[in-house]
């Protein structure tokens, strides 16, 4: 389930590199020059052989090594056991995929860990390691359009990614009692072989075995277990909706858990590490309440359950892991819970195809924080926007958020100026068109991918306005915008978004209109430090 076009130029460029860095064994680089008899249909043509090689990157110009070309994963089945005492992970990943073109070789992303063997449709395949690439040579050529399953048996001590360009620590992070697994942007490869890029989504099954007494958490719902035998407990989790790799988790440790439903009847699950025991009921209640509220604003909740998890490892940020946002070692305030749950629509259901469009996730989730503040009768979105616009020295003015930079991906501009872009849009097109736009966006691209251009096109279509200049100003230009623009200044104040969200009648939220007088508070939205 991917939407990245086959990266032909890239596959050719990187081939050379790979041949040079190939380091061991039954050299695949040799195979590339002289295909082994029987393994490859004789073509006698170097160009067609190159086409039969899956590229080591999926084609994101900002993250050229991430993901892989040549196939599309539909399902991951991860059967893994982890022992915190010796930090040992062992198991099997079965990856079901469809070949996008003939394949005599393809890559998976996997960093560290030892690969014991690879089977393709049950038959042993040659493989080799090259940095974070696992290069696999199927026993026979896989034809374009063919479905095949790769089973990788592996083990070792997972190492998280640290300190790469302001990203902090991420991936499989060992903790005192287990692991905190939060993988954005490309940390899935630290614990399972994958096509580790958001442009390839798949469904997931997890069979996680941990020492008795510990709880293993993953995405989706518990479909089996926990079953304990010989001192080990196994949990079966299933995420039945497509998911990008960075949202997959196998967080484990000592957890108190609470299971139930939201007021609207959606399954809800919360878990807290012992240090945050007192938060279990609050996280459960707020996650349910906020999920229900967003489903009245953004449209039906896209997945089969919601929830939240607080672990005690201090990452300093939270991650919107599909169905189970995870908070790294701090008590989440309502604002961050609202943020991570809004990502279930913006980022998790509607996903980006390339990292530079990250504002489509973070700008939208930040704008959701403003909507939540307004809903709670605190500052309105308009007040937060105005407050941020008045910060003349803010670093957001020198970082246009429409192109998130690989060396500073989670810059506050992607969050705050991204949210300001949405508010400017709301001012321009009015509440009715704006909220219809959000709902149409999540409906049209549910479980798929979209780009900034898609968003601009939809906004223009639904509003009937040319919005090029507005998006250019807010997303792509350096400098603090002159705002409102002349045309907007001429409009009466009454046309502007006020203290209330005006939604089309059928979607009015279930709690009824607020009656409390909004009480502006002076504190600005939570500091960036809590996220990155
Ligand atoms: N997407 C997360 C959030 O909502 C931030 C993830 C940060 N990741 C990292 N490696 N620092 O806000
Ligand atoms: Zn976010």
């Amino acid at each position: 389930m991917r939407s990245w076009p086959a990266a032909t130029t890239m596959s050719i460029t990187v081939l050379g590199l790979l041949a040079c860095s190939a380091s061991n064994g039954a050299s695949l680089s040799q195979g590339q020059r002289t295909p082994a008899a029987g393994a490859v249909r004789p073509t006698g043509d170097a160009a067609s052989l190159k086409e039969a090689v899956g590229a080591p990157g999926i084609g994101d110009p900002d993250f050229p090594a991430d993901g892989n070309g040549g196939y599309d994963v539909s399902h991951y089945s991860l059967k893994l056991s982890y022992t915190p005492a010796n930090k040992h992970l062992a198991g099997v990943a079965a990856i079901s995929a469809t070949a996008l073109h003939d394949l005599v070789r393809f890559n998976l992303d996997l960093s560290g860990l030892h690969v014991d063997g690879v089977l393709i449709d049950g038959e042993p395949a040659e493989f080799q390691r090259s940095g974070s690439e696992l290069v696999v040579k199927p026993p026979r050529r896989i034809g374009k359009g063919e479905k095949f399953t790769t089973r990788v048996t592996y083990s070792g001590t997972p190492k998280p990614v640290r300190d790469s360009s302001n990203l902090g620590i991420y991936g499989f992070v060992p903790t005192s009692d287990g692991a905190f697994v939060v993988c954005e942007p490309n940390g899935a490869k630290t614990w399972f072989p994958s096509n580790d890029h958001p442009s390839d989504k798949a469904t997931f099954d997890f069979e996680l075995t941990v020492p008795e007494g510990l709880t293993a958490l993953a995405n989706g719902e518990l479909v089996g277990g926990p079953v304990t035998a010989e001192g080990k407990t196994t949990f079966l989790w299933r995420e039945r909706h497509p998911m990008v790799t960075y949202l997959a988790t196998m967080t484990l440790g000592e957890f108190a858990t609470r299971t139930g439903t939201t007021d609207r009847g959606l399954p809800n699950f919360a878990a807290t590490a012992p240090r945050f025991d007192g938060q279990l009921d609050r996280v459960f209640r707020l996650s349910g309440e906020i999920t229900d509220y967003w489903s009245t604003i953004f449209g039906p909740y896209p997945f089969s359950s919601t929830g939240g998890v607080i672990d005690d490892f201090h990452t300093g940020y939270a991650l919107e892991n599909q169905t189970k946002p995870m908070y790294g070692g701090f008590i989440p305030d309502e604002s961050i819970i609202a943020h991570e749950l809004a990502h279930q629509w913006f980022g998790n259901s509607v996903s980006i195809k390339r990292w530079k469009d990250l504002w489509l996730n973070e700008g939208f989730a930040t704008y959701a924080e403003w909507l939540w503040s307004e809903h709670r009768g605190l500052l309105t979105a308009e007040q937060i926007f105005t407050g941020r616009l008045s910060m003349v020295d803010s670093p957001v003015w020198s970082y246009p958020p429409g192109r998130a930079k690989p060396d500073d991906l989670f810059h506050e501009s992607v969050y705050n100026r991204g949210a300001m872009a949405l508010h400017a849009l709301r001012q321009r097109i009015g509440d009715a068109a704006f909220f219809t736009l959000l709902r149409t966006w999540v409906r049209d691209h549910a479980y798929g991918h979209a780009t900034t251009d898609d968003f601009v096109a939809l906004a223009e279509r639904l509003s009937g306005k040319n919005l090029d200049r507005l998006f250019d100003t807010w997303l792509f230009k350096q400098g603090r915008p002159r705002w409102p623009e002349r045309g907007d200044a001429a409009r009466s104040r009454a046309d502007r978004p006020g203290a209330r969200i005006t939604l089309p009648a059928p979607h009015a939220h279930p709690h009824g209109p607020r009656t409390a007088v909004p009480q502006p508070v002076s504190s600005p939205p939570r500091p960036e430090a809590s996220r990155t």
Side-chain angles (χ1 to χ4, degrees), residues 71-77 92-99 106 108 118-125 136 138-140 142 146-152:
Y71 61 91
D72 171 15
V73 179
S74 56
H75 186 74
Y76 292 92
S77 179
V92 181
I95 303 144
S96 309
T98 304
F106 65 89
L108 288 160
V118 178
L119 299 177
I120 294 188
D121 294 332
E123 289 186 50
V136 178
R140 55 174 181 86
I142 298 169
E146 233 182 274
K147 292 189 190 323
F148 62 102
T149 299
T150 308
R151 289 172 70 85
V152 181

Side-chain angles (χ1 to χ4, degrees), residues 85-399:
N86 59 8
K87 296 189 164 58
H88 188 74
L89 178 75
V92 181
I95 303 144
S96 309
T98 304
L100 297 176
H101 52 69
D102 282 12
L103 285 175
V104 295
R105 189 173 93 194
F106 65 89
N107 286 23
L108 288 160
D109 300 309
L110 182 68
S111 64
L113 302 166
H114 179 263
V115 173
D116 304 303
V118 178
L119 299 177
I120 294 188
D121 294 332
E123 289 186 50
E126 281 180 39
F127 63 92
Q128 69 181 38
R129 310 295 300 276
S130 170
S132 290
E133 302 290 333
L134 167 61
V135 186
V136 178
K137 188 175 158 196
R140 55 174 181 86
R141 188 183 187 109
I142 298 169
K144 177 178 180 183
E146 233 182 274
K147 292 189 190 323
F148 62 102
T149 299
T150 308
R151 289 172 70 85
V152 181
T153 303
Y154 63 105
S155 58
T157 301
K159 298 262 184 317
V161 186
R162 271 175 221 272
D163 262 341
S164 87
S165 317
N166 286 337
L167 296 173
I169 186 168
Y170 65 98
F172 189 105
V173 182
T175 61
S176 54
D177 61 345
F180 185 55
V181 183
V182 282
C183 298
E184 192 179 22
N186 50 15
K189 64 175 185 284
T190 64
W191 63 285
F192 66 101
S194 51
N195 197 16
D196 196 9
H197 188 273
S199 55
D200 191 358
K201 292 189 178 194
T203 51
F204 281 72
D205 270 304
F206 304 85
E207 183 179 328
L208 306 176
T209 301
V210 294
E212 182 175 2
L214 301 186
T215 300
L217 305 172
N219 313 86
E221 297 80 52
L222 194 66
V223 292
V227 174
T228 300
E230 290 163 20
K232 304 232 175 242
T233 306
T234 299
F235 298 78
L236 302 177
W237 293 92
R238 175 170 298 154
E239 174 50 59
R240 44 190 109 230
H241 293 99
M243 175 164 79
V244 305
T245 49
Y246 73 76
L247 296 169
T249 190
M250 65 167 289
T251 287
L252 66 121
E254 278 178 52
F255 282 103
T257 64
R258 182 170 166 191
T259 308
T261 60
T262 70
D263 286 352
R264 288 166 72 100
L266 181 72
N268 186 12
F269 175 92
T272 48
R275 186 152 69 88
F276 297 95
D277 255 358
Q279 290 295 315
L280 183 63
D281 290 342
R282 177 176 167 273
V283 170
F284 180 86
R285 179 179 52 76
L286 280 172
S287 302
E289 185 186 340
I290 294 172
T291 304
D292 280 354
Y293 180 64
W294 287 153
S295 66
T296 70
I297 303 294
F298 304 141
Y301 183 69
F303 308 120
S304 313
S305 62
T306 187
V309 176
I310 314 182
D311 203 351
D312 57 8
F313 185 92
H314 191 81
T315 47
Y317 64 84
L319 184 64
E320 62 267 23
N321 287 336
Q322 193 152 309
T323 69
K324 283 180 192 63
M326 296 196 174
Y327 306 94
F330 61 94
I331 296 176
D333 60 18
E334 284 190 27
S335 187
I336 197 165
I337 298 175
H339 178 112
E340 305 310 332
L341 288 169
H343 273 309
Q344 306 306 310
W345 285 261
F346 304 106
N348 299 10
S349 176
V350 183
S351 302
I352 53 176
K353 280 182 194 173
R354 52 192 178 207
W355 285 107
K356 71 173 178 188
D357 283 335
L358 186 62
W359 85 281
L360 291 172
N361 297 4
E362 302 304 346
F364 284 56
T366 302
Y367 196 62
E369 293 178 45
W370 301 7
L371 295 176
W372 184 255
S373 163
E374 184 167 321
H375 170 67
R376 278 294 202 221
L378 304 174
L379 289 178
T380 63
E382 173 78 6
Q383 287 169 319
I384 299 172
F385 173 82
T386 307
R388 293 210 161 264
L389 188 60
S390 71
M391 297 177 186
V392 291
D393 296 326
S394 168
V396 306
W397 309 128
S398 55
Y399 184 128

Side-chain angles (χ1 to χ4, degrees), residues 506-529:
H507 308 305
H509 69 75
H511 313 294
R514 290 187 55 84
T515 47
V517 177
Q519 292 296 314
V521 292
S522 56
S523 66
R526 73 196 150 78
E528 301 318 313

